[in-house]
Amino acid sequence: MRYELDIYGVLVPALLLWLIVAYALSVIVSRIMQRFGLYRLVWHRALFNFALYVCLLGVVVYLSEFLP
């Protein structure tokens, strides 16, 4: 995994990009869950959303190792 990405001459930490990608994915999953009423099965919505975000961040970071 590269620790810095060069975007038009600006060095950006790779983790910042993975955080943004994970946040976008968590928003999409959250909206899908809200649309189908799956949040009624969740005890604490904020805690669940945080746990979902952390899990998605782990998946994104793990999958980033396979990028060229």
Side-chain angles (χ1 to χ4, degrees):
M1 178 171 116
R2 294 185 292 187
Y3 296 105
E4 294 176 339
L5 300 173
D6 184 13
I7 300 177
Y8 298 111
V10 177
L11 292 176
V12 179
L15 183 59
L16 177 64
L17 294 176
W18 306 146
L19 289 170
I20 293 170
V21 170
Y23 179 74
L25 289 174
S26 69
V27 167
I28 292 170
V29 171
S30 176
R31 288 187 182 169
I32 290 171
M33 287 185 66
Q34 187 174 10
R35 182 170 178 97
F36 291 111
L38 296 175
Y39 272 122
R40 61 186 160 90
L41 303 173
V42 174
W43 170 67
H44 196 281
R45 184 174 178 171
L47 185 60
F48 179 80
N49 284 340
F50 179 69
L52 177 68
Y53 175 73
V54 170
C55 290
L56 287 173
L57 179 61
V59 169
V60 168
V61 170
Y62 176 73
L63 292 177
S64 70
E65 294 181 14
F66 301 112
L67 291 176

